[in-house]
Amino acid sequence: GTRSESSELLDGRKRSILDALQSEACSVDDLMERTGLPVRELTAALAELELMGRTARAGPGLHIRAP
């Protein structure tokens, strides 16, 4: 499917993380503050997003939306 189709399959946690990563690379602490997610849920969702090709690491402890 297309990227827009796959975005419909994202749960609320993943969608809020992608929204928080709109403009810049973020640390886990920044993402916790922006999304309100507990660290365990956040890191699990980030790992899933990375495996899906939707996010990438931008350096030690930083995450970005995949180009």
PDB file of all heavy atoms in Angstrom, residues 34-60:
ATOM      1  N   ARG A  34       6.087  15.829  24.753  1.00  0.00           N
ATOM      2  CA  ARG A  34       5.155  16.219  23.692  1.00  0.00           C
ATOM      3  C   ARG A  34       3.969  15.278  23.558  1.00  0.00           C
ATOM      4  O   ARG A  34       2.879  15.716  23.197  1.00  0.00           O
ATOM      5  CB  ARG A  34       5.888  16.292  22.349  1.00  0.00           C
ATOM      6  CG  ARG A  34       6.877  17.422  22.282  1.00  0.00           C
ATOM      7  CD  ARG A  34       7.585  17.435  20.960  1.00  0.00           C
ATOM      8  NE  ARG A  34       8.640  18.437  20.947  1.00  0.00           N
ATOM      9  CZ  ARG A  34       9.277  18.830  19.864  1.00  0.00           C
ATOM     10  NH1 ARG A  34       8.982  18.311  18.686  1.00  0.00           N
ATOM     11  NH2 ARG A  34      10.223  19.743  19.949  1.00  0.00           N
ATOM     12  N   THR A  35       4.185  13.978  23.816  1.00  0.00           N
ATOM     13  CA  THR A  35       3.109  13.003  23.601  1.00  0.00           C
ATOM     14  C   THR A  35       2.388  12.613  24.883  1.00  0.00           C
ATOM     15  O   THR A  35       1.273  12.106  24.826  1.00  0.00           O
ATOM     16  CB  THR A  35       3.657  11.711  22.966  1.00  0.00           C
ATOM     17  OG1 THR A  35       4.571  11.091  23.876  1.00  0.00           O
ATOM     18  CG2 THR A  35       4.348  11.984  21.637  1.00  0.00           C
ATOM     19  N   GLY A  36       3.053  12.778  26.034  1.00  0.00           N
ATOM     20  CA  GLY A  36       2.467  12.347  27.293  1.00  0.00           C
ATOM     21  C   GLY A  36       2.534  10.846  27.518  1.00  0.00           C
ATOM     22  O   GLY A  36       1.930  10.335  28.455  1.00  0.00           O
ATOM     23  N   LEU A  37       3.273  10.135  26.660  1.00  0.00           N
ATOM     24  CA  LEU A  37       3.370   8.684  26.787  1.00  0.00           C
ATOM     25  C   LEU A  37       4.406   8.299  27.827  1.00  0.00           C
ATOM     26  O   LEU A  37       5.448   8.945  27.933  1.00  0.00           O
ATOM     27  CB  LEU A  37       3.772   8.063  25.445  1.00  0.00           C
ATOM     28  CG  LEU A  37       2.759   8.162  24.315  1.00  0.00           C
ATOM     29  CD1 LEU A  37       3.387   7.691  23.005  1.00  0.00           C
ATOM     30  CD2 LEU A  37       1.530   7.331  24.638  1.00  0.00           C
ATOM     31  N   PRO A  38       4.161   7.224  28.573  1.00  0.00           N
ATOM     32  CA  PRO A  38       5.183   6.699  29.480  1.00  0.00           C
ATOM     33  C   PRO A  38       6.365   6.164  28.667  1.00  0.00           C
ATOM     34  O   PRO A  38       6.202   5.736  27.520  1.00  0.00           O
ATOM     35  CB  PRO A  38       4.487   5.562  30.217  1.00  0.00           C
ATOM     36  CG  PRO A  38       3.056   5.618  29.832  1.00  0.00           C
ATOM     37  CD  PRO A  38       2.923   6.477  28.625  1.00  0.00           C
ATOM     38  N   VAL A  39       7.540   6.153  29.266  1.00  0.00           N
ATOM     39  CA  VAL A  39       8.757   5.795  28.535  1.00  0.00           C
ATOM     40  C   VAL A  39       8.674   4.409  27.906  1.00  0.00           C
ATOM     41  O   VAL A  39       9.120   4.222  26.771  1.00  0.00           O
ATOM     42  CB  VAL A  39      10.015   5.961  29.418  1.00  0.00           C
ATOM     43  CG1 VAL A  39      10.048   4.929  30.541  1.00  0.00           C
ATOM     44  CG2 VAL A  39      11.280   5.881  28.575  1.00  0.00           C
ATOM     45  N   ARG A  40       8.104   3.437  28.596  1.00  0.00           N
ATOM     46  CA  ARG A  40       8.024   2.084  28.014  1.00  0.00           C
ATOM     47  C   ARG A  40       7.165   2.051  26.759  1.00  0.00           C
ATOM     48  O   ARG A  40       7.530   1.419  25.770  1.00  0.00           O
ATOM     49  CB  ARG A  40       7.475   1.088  29.034  1.00  0.00           C
ATOM     50  CG  ARG A  40       8.476   0.706  30.083  1.00  0.00           C
ATOM     51  CD  ARG A  40       7.940  -0.378  30.964  1.00  0.00           C
ATOM     52  NE  ARG A  40       8.915  -0.717  31.983  1.00  0.00           N
ATOM     53  CZ  ARG A  40       8.765  -1.682  32.840  1.00  0.00           C
ATOM     54  NH1 ARG A  40       7.663  -2.401  32.822  1.00  0.00           N
ATOM     55  NH2 ARG A  40       9.688  -1.936  33.735  1.00  0.00           N
ATOM     56  N   GLU A  41       6.008   2.689  26.810  1.00  0.00           N
ATOM     57  CA  GLU A  41       5.132   2.726  25.630  1.00  0.00           C
ATOM     58  C   GLU A  41       5.804   3.494  24.497  1.00  0.00           C
ATOM     59  O   GLU A  41       5.717   3.103  23.330  1.00  0.00           O
ATOM     60  CB  GLU A  41       3.796   3.385  25.970  1.00  0.00           C
ATOM     61  CG  GLU A  41       2.880   2.513  26.770  1.00  0.00           C
ATOM     62  CD  GLU A  41       1.525   3.174  26.998  1.00  0.00           C
ATOM     63  OE1 GLU A  41       1.069   3.933  26.125  1.00  0.00           O
ATOM     64  OE2 GLU A  41       0.939   2.931  28.057  1.00  0.00           O
ATOM     65  N   LEU A  42       6.448   4.602  24.847  1.00  0.00           N
ATOM     66  CA  LEU A  42       7.094   5.438  23.843  1.00  0.00           C
ATOM     67  C   LEU A  42       8.216   4.687  23.144  1.00  0.00           C
ATOM     68  O   LEU A  42       8.278   4.659  21.909  1.00  0.00           O
ATOM     69  CB  LEU A  42       7.634   6.717  24.496  1.00  0.00           C
ATOM     70  CG  LEU A  42       8.399   7.655  23.576  1.00  0.00           C
ATOM     71  CD1 LEU A  42       7.510   8.199  22.482  1.00  0.00           C
ATOM     72  CD2 LEU A  42       9.012   8.781  24.377  1.00  0.00           C
ATOM     73  N   THR A  43       9.102   4.052  23.900  1.00  0.00           N
ATOM     74  CA  THR A  43      10.228   3.367  23.274  1.00  0.00           C
ATOM     75  C   THR A  43       9.763   2.160  22.464  1.00  0.00           C
ATOM     76  O   THR A  43      10.323   1.871  21.408  1.00  0.00           O
ATOM     77  CB  THR A  43      11.297   2.968  24.312  1.00  0.00           C
ATOM     78  OG1 THR A  43      10.693   2.209  25.352  1.00  0.00           O
ATOM     79  CG2 THR A  43      11.976   4.189  24.903  1.00  0.00           C
ATOM     80  N   ALA A  44       8.729   1.470  22.928  1.00  0.00           N
ATOM     81  CA  ALA A  44       8.191   0.343  22.161  1.00  0.00           C
ATOM     82  C   ALA A  44       7.606   0.836  20.837  1.00  0.00           C
ATOM     83  O   ALA A  44       7.855   0.249  19.773  1.00  0.00           O
ATOM     84  CB  ALA A  44       7.131  -0.395  22.971  1.00  0.00           C
ATOM     85  N   ALA A  45       6.838   1.922  20.885  1.00  0.00           N
ATOM     86  CA  ALA A  45       6.234   2.465  19.669  1.00  0.00           C
ATOM     87  C   ALA A  45       7.305   3.012  18.727  1.00  0.00           C
ATOM     88  O   ALA A  45       7.207   2.846  17.507  1.00  0.00           O
ATOM     89  CB  ALA A  45       5.222   3.552  20.018  1.00  0.00           C
ATOM     90  N   LEU A  46       8.348   3.639  19.275  1.00  0.00           N
ATOM     91  CA  LEU A  46       9.452   4.125  18.432  1.00  0.00           C
ATOM     92  C   LEU A  46      10.140   2.971  17.715  1.00  0.00           C
ATOM     93  O   LEU A  46      10.466   3.080  16.528  1.00  0.00           O
ATOM     94  CB  LEU A  46      10.484   4.877  19.277  1.00  0.00           C
ATOM     95  CG  LEU A  46      10.212   6.350  19.535  1.00  0.00           C
ATOM     96  CD1 LEU A  46      11.202   6.886  20.565  1.00  0.00           C
ATOM     97  CD2 LEU A  46      10.278   7.161  18.250  1.00  0.00           C
ATOM     98  N   ALA A  47      10.357   1.866  18.420  1.00  0.00           N
ATOM     99  CA  ALA A  47      10.983   0.696  17.797  1.00  0.00           C
ATOM    100  C   ALA A  47      10.110   0.165  16.660  1.00  0.00           C
ATOM    101  O   ALA A  47      10.617  -0.162  15.578  1.00  0.00           O
ATOM    102  CB  ALA A  47      11.230  -0.383  18.841  1.00  0.00           C
ATOM    103  N   GLU A  48       8.805   0.111  16.887  1.00  0.00           N
ATOM    104  CA  GLU A  48       7.885  -0.354  15.847  1.00  0.00           C
ATOM    105  C   GLU A  48       7.905   0.590  14.649  1.00  0.00           C
ATOM    106  O   GLU A  48       7.930   0.144  13.498  1.00  0.00           O
ATOM    107  CB  GLU A  48       6.466  -0.473  16.401  1.00  0.00           C
ATOM    108  CG  GLU A  48       6.304  -1.597  17.408  1.00  0.00           C
ATOM    109  CD  GLU A  48       4.925  -1.610  18.043  1.00  0.00           C
ATOM    110  OE1 GLU A  48       3.947  -1.197  17.395  1.00  0.00           O
ATOM    111  OE2 GLU A  48       4.829  -2.022  19.222  1.00  0.00           O
ATOM    112  N   LEU A  49       7.894   1.896  14.909  1.00  0.00           N
ATOM    113  CA  LEU A  49       7.930   2.877  13.822  1.00  0.00           C
ATOM    114  C   LEU A  49       9.228   2.774  13.031  1.00  0.00           C
ATOM    115  O   LEU A  49       9.231   2.912  11.804  1.00  0.00           O
ATOM    116  CB  LEU A  49       7.755   4.295  14.376  1.00  0.00           C
ATOM    117  CG  LEU A  49       6.338   4.655  14.812  1.00  0.00           C
ATOM    118  CD1 LEU A  49       6.344   5.915  15.651  1.00  0.00           C
ATOM    119  CD2 LEU A  49       5.430   4.817  13.600  1.00  0.00           C
ATOM    120  N   GLU A  50      10.326   2.529  13.719  1.00  0.00           N
ATOM    121  CA  GLU A  50      11.611   2.390  13.035  1.00  0.00           C
ATOM    122  C   GLU A  50      11.597   1.140  12.143  1.00  0.00           C
ATOM    123  O   GLU A  50      12.039   1.189  10.994  1.00  0.00           O
ATOM    124  CB  GLU A  50      12.746   2.322  14.055  1.00  0.00           C
ATOM    125  CG  GLU A  50      14.115   2.450  13.419  1.00  0.00           C
ATOM    126  CD  GLU A  50      15.233   2.601  14.430  1.00  0.00           C
ATOM    127  OE1 GLU A  50      14.967   2.781  15.639  1.00  0.00           O
ATOM    128  OE2 GLU A  50      16.389   2.526  13.999  1.00  0.00           O
ATOM    129  N   LEU A  51      11.056   0.037  12.654  1.00  0.00           N
ATOM    130  CA  LEU A  51      10.958  -1.191  11.855  1.00  0.00           C
ATOM    131  C   LEU A  51      10.037  -1.010  10.651  1.00  0.00           C
ATOM    132  O   LEU A  51      10.242  -1.626   9.606  1.00  0.00           O
ATOM    133  CB  LEU A  51      10.462  -2.348  12.722  1.00  0.00           C
ATOM    134  CG  LEU A  51      11.465  -2.873  13.745  1.00  0.00           C
ATOM    135  CD1 LEU A  51      10.798  -3.872  14.682  1.00  0.00           C
ATOM    136  CD2 LEU A  51      12.661  -3.502  13.058  1.00  0.00           C
ATOM    137  N   MET A  52       9.030  -0.159  10.794  1.00  0.00           N
ATOM    138  CA  MET A  52       8.101   0.129   9.706  1.00  0.00           C
ATOM    139  C   MET A  52       8.702   1.091   8.679  1.00  0.00           C
ATOM    140  O   MET A  52       8.107   1.338   7.638  1.00  0.00           O
ATOM    141  CB  MET A  52       6.818   0.760  10.264  1.00  0.00           C
ATOM    142  CG  MET A  52       5.996  -0.160  11.141  1.00  0.00           C
ATOM    143  SD  MET A  52       4.697   0.745  12.053  1.00  0.00           S
ATOM    144  CE  MET A  52       3.600   1.212  10.713  1.00  0.00           C
ATOM    145  N   GLY A  53       9.867   1.666   9.004  1.00  0.00           N
ATOM    146  CA  GLY A  53      10.483   2.626   8.098  1.00  0.00           C
ATOM    147  C   GLY A  53       9.909   4.026   8.210  1.00  0.00           C
ATOM    148  O   GLY A  53      10.128   4.865   7.346  1.00  0.00           O
ATOM    149  N   ARG A  54       9.159   4.299   9.282  1.00  0.00           N
ATOM    150  CA  ARG A  54       8.513   5.608   9.431  1.00  0.00           C
ATOM    151  C   ARG A  54       9.379   6.604  10.199  1.00  0.00           C
ATOM    152  O   ARG A  54       9.200   7.809  10.079  1.00  0.00           O
ATOM    153  CB  ARG A  54       7.170   5.457  10.156  1.00  0.00           C
ATOM    154  CG  ARG A  54       6.175   4.558   9.462  1.00  0.00           C
ATOM    155  CD  ARG A  54       5.776   5.033   8.069  1.00  0.00           C
ATOM    156  NE  ARG A  54       5.094   6.300   8.065  1.00  0.00           N
ATOM    157  CZ  ARG A  54       3.787   6.473   8.160  1.00  0.00           C
ATOM    158  NH1 ARG A  54       3.000   5.438   8.286  1.00  0.00           N
ATOM    159  NH2 ARG A  54       3.259   7.676   8.141  1.00  0.00           N
ATOM    160  N   THR A  55      10.296   6.084  11.056  1.00  0.00           N
ATOM    161  CA  THR A  55      11.220   6.956  11.778  1.00  0.00           C
ATOM    162  C   THR A  55      12.632   6.396  11.629  1.00  0.00           C
ATOM    163  O   THR A  55      12.821   5.261  11.189  1.00  0.00           O
ATOM    164  CB  THR A  55      10.892   7.040  13.290  1.00  0.00           C
ATOM    165  OG1 THR A  55      11.046   5.755  13.880  1.00  0.00           O
ATOM    166  CG2 THR A  55       9.489   7.572  13.533  1.00  0.00           C
ATOM    167  N   ALA A  56      13.605   7.211  12.000  1.00  0.00           N
ATOM    168  CA  ALA A  56      15.004   6.799  11.949  1.00  0.00           C
ATOM    169  C   ALA A  56      15.742   7.469  13.097  1.00  0.00           C
ATOM    170  O   ALA A  56      15.269   8.461  13.662  1.00  0.00           O
ATOM    171  CB  ALA A  56      15.627   7.199  10.613  1.00  0.00           C
ATOM    172  N   ARG A  57      16.891   6.927  13.421  1.00  0.00           N
ATOM    173  CA  ARG A  57      17.730   7.556  14.443  1.00  0.00           C
ATOM    174  C   ARG A  57      18.549   8.655  13.785  1.00  0.00           C
ATOM    175  O   ARG A  57      19.063   8.488  12.695  1.00  0.00           O
ATOM    176  CB  ARG A  57      18.631   6.520  15.088  1.00  0.00           C
ATOM    177  CG  ARG A  57      17.814   5.517  15.885  1.00  0.00           C
ATOM    178  CD  ARG A  57      18.677   4.492  16.559  1.00  0.00           C
ATOM    179  NE  ARG A  57      17.827   3.462  17.112  1.00  0.00           N
ATOM    180  CZ  ARG A  57      17.589   3.337  18.402  1.00  0.00           C
ATOM    181  NH1 ARG A  57      18.161   4.135  19.269  1.00  0.00           N
ATOM    182  NH2 ARG A  57      16.797   2.390  18.833  1.00  0.00           N
ATOM    183  N   ALA A  58      18.663   9.771  14.500  1.00  0.00           N
ATOM    184  CA  ALA A  58      19.377  10.932  13.962  1.00  0.00           C
ATOM    185  C   ALA A  58      20.635  11.205  14.771  1.00  0.00           C
ATOM    186  O   ALA A  58      21.194  12.283  14.686  1.00  0.00           O
ATOM    187  CB  ALA A  58      18.461  12.149  13.976  1.00  0.00           C
ATOM    188  N   GLY A  59      21.064  10.248  15.547  1.00  0.00           N
ATOM    189  CA  GLY A  59      22.215  10.424  16.415  1.00  0.00           C
ATOM    190  C   GLY A  59      21.899   9.780  17.746  1.00  0.00           C
ATOM    191  O   GLY A  59      20.813   9.245  17.936  1.00  0.00           O
ATOM    192  N   PRO A  60      22.848   9.839  18.666  1.00  0.00           N
ATOM    193  CA  PRO A  60      22.623   9.202  19.968  1.00  0.00           C
ATOM    194  C   PRO A  60      21.395   9.770  20.672  1.00  0.00           C
ATOM    195  O   PRO A  60      21.344  10.950  20.991  1.00  0.00           O
ATOM    196  CB  PRO A  60      23.899   9.519  20.749  1.00  0.00           C
ATOM    197  CG  PRO A  60      24.908   9.889  19.720  1.00  0.00           C
ATOM    198  CD  PRO A  60      24.145  10.456  18.560  1.00  0.00           C
TER     199      PRO A  60
END
